[in-house]
Amino acid sequence: MGSTLKITTPRDYDLTRDVCSYGYFVLAPNLWDTNKHTLTRPLHLEDGPATVVLRQESKGTLKASFDRTLSAAERAEAKGLITRMLRLNEDETHSKGFHSADPRWKKSGRARLFRSPTLFEDVVKTVTSCNVAWPSTVNMNKQMVRHLGQGGCFPTEARMARARVGTLRGRCRVGYRDQRIIDLAKMFHRGEIDEAWLEHTGTPDDEVFAFLKSLPGIGPYAAGNIMMLLGRYSRLAIDTETVRHGKAALGFKGTDRQIIKKLEKHYEPFGEYKFKSYWFELWTFYETKQGPSETWDREKTATAFTAKNF
DNA sequence: GGTAGACCTGGACGC
DNA sequence: GCGTCCAGGTCTACC
């Protein structure tokens, strides 16, 4: 019999809606149960891995059931990781702020974007999403968890820092990203990434963006995406999907450069919530093609989300 | 400051 | 079933 935690959430938190809000929810080691509407994943805690199953108990309360007994320190640690992953730190005031900037999402209540329990995992997942189609991203994360993750966890920065480039390339199929991922892991492991500074509200967005861009494997798109993962929504992460969205959903015409300028102008009114407005537009488009995101199965998204299906 | 080409993988397509 | 082409973001070298 493992430990159980009751987690108080903001009143407007909805596990199904708010987990199934960003692609990382279908990347290993996350496992969304499309029938039970639970999120299962192993967490790396002080005394080792522990798998948690998260379910919505009632409005404002989540139940976290673990597969082993946790110490008091581990309970606090797990709570911190879950809070980060589910963005429980973004309270109702934040949601209301977003909805008054962009009322289109008020009815559905969409306001939060799922992320990882750690910044390290978010950064590595972002690198695995660059310059590849979705099926490759799915596979890279699956293989990293399989070959480098203890007890089904996402690899820790310490483990990843010790990994061989051959393992990452040959077994985890990350290609030329191998050395970059190891270099990132070493930087995290050596404490060269100041998470407190990156998350501090007093740190200007421009400085965070410039720092992120200086990291190995992180360019303008990845830096913009990590900004969002850090809770900074004032800029977009522009990739080919963004341009496609500009053309297909917003009807913009012209060269890619012209379309990007139009996109920047289009999202300007949403100010500090720009990314969210953009993302939920894009997410809605995906749902029109693939059905509600809560029905997306982890294994099937690898094949469903291919060019021919869009 | 802008740009061409290399970097890998896996899906799509033609045979 | 095999070979070829192509998409995707970052990095380096070069102008």
Side-chain angles (χ1 to χ4, degrees):
Chain A
M1 185 74 179
S3 297
T4 301
L5 287 181
K6 272 205 172 185
I7 296 175
T8 304
T9 71
R11 293 288 293 168
D12 70 329
Y13 190 82
D14 182 302
L15 188 72
T16 299
R17 180 197 62 204
D18 295 343
V19 164
C20 306
S21 60
Y22 191 67
Y24 292 3
F25 89 97
V26 288
L27 294 181
N30 297 311
L31 184 62
W32 174 253
D33 188 315
T34 56
N35 294 315
K36 294 179 187 162
H37 287 197
T38 57
L39 178 72
T40 303
R41 71 162 281 157
L43 294 173
H44 200 277
L45 302 177
E46 195 177 84
D47 298 334
T51 296
V52 64
V53 180
L54 292 165
R55 61 167 52 81
Q56 183 118 33
E57 191 82 318
S58 59
K59 198 173 182 179
T61 311
L62 297 179
K63 185 177 170 188
S65 311
F66 293 83
D67 63 348
R68 67 171 174 82
T69 306
L70 307 188
S71 67
E74 283 186 321
R75 291 164 77 92
E77 189 186 4
K79 200 170 177 182
L81 294 171
I82 293 165
T83 297
R84 185 185 197 282
M85 177 167 66
L86 304 183
R87 302 222 199 221
L88 302 180
N89 59 317
E90 290 187 1
D91 59 15
E92 282 184 272
T93 311
H94 183 95
S95 306
K96 281 179 185 161
F98 169 53
H99 293 148
S100 64
D102 189 347
R104 291 176 297 171
W105 315 106
K106 194 173 178 181
K107 192 179 171 193
S108 67
R110 281 210 178 279
R112 296 182 185 82
L113 290 158
F114 181 79
R115 60 179 173 178
S116 303
T118 66
L119 177 61
F120 174 65
E121 185 177 331
D122 271 340
V123 170
V124 174
K125 277 184 158 58
T126 299
V127 171
T128 67
S129 74
C130 290
N131 202 28
V132 281
W134 182 249
S136 289
T137 304
V138 171
N139 192 40
M140 286 182 220
N141 282 275
K142 188 175 169 182
Q143 300 306 335
M144 283 190 295
V145 166
R146 181 179 169 199
H147 295 290
L148 298 168
Q150 188 192 354
C153 290
F154 192 82
T156 61
E157 49 252 53
R159 180 66 190 90
M160 196 79 97
R162 292 198 315 272
R164 295 168 194 266
V165 286
T167 306
L168 275 166
R169 184 175 292 219
R171 294 185 188 276
C172 307
R173 315 301 295 159
V174 304
Y176 64 88
R177 299 162 195 80
D178 52 4
Q179 189 63 56
R180 296 174 191 176
I181 290 173
I182 291 172
D183 290 344
L184 281 166
K186 285 180 177 169
M187 292 182 79
F188 271 91
H189 190 47
R190 289 194 296 248
E192 293 169 14
I193 313 284
D194 187 347
E195 290 191 41
W197 178 78
L198 290 169
E199 296 198 353
H200 192 269
T201 50
T203 310
D205 282 353
D206 288 348
E207 287 184 30
V208 172
F209 188 70
F211 173 76
L212 293 172
K213 268 205 309 173
S214 74
L215 299 176
I218 309 296
Y221 161 75
N225 199 60
I226 297 167
M227 295 280 286
M228 172 279 288
L229 293 163
L230 283 164
R232 297 174 179 270
Y233 307 103
S234 67
R235 64 178 74 211
L236 304 173
I238 293 171
D239 61 1
T240 51
E241 275 295 276
T242 326
V243 175
R244 186 206 52 70
H245 179 70
K247 289 179 190 167
L250 303 172
F252 295 157
K253 291 186 172 33
T255 62
D256 283 4
R257 193 179 289 243
Q258 290 167 328
I259 288 169
I260 288 168
K261 282 205 166 186
K262 288 175 183 173
L263 283 160
E264 297 279 13
K265 198 176 168 194
H266 173 76
Y267 292 109
E268 196 54 45
F270 306 116
E272 61 180 303
Y273 302 104
K274 239 177 263 176
F275 192 107
K276 292 196 190 205
S277 290
Y278 156 63
W279 187 258
F280 292 133
E281 271 183 18
L282 192 62
W283 202 247
T284 303
F285 172 80
Y286 290 155
E287 290 191 313
T288 61
K289 297 282 177 187
Q290 301 292 339
S293 51
E294 69 209 55
T295 65
W296 299 351
D297 178 86
R298 182 167 82 177
E299 302 306 320
K300 288 179 191 156
T301 61
T303 50
F305 283 70
T306 54
K308 80 171 182 182
N309 291 323
F310 281 102

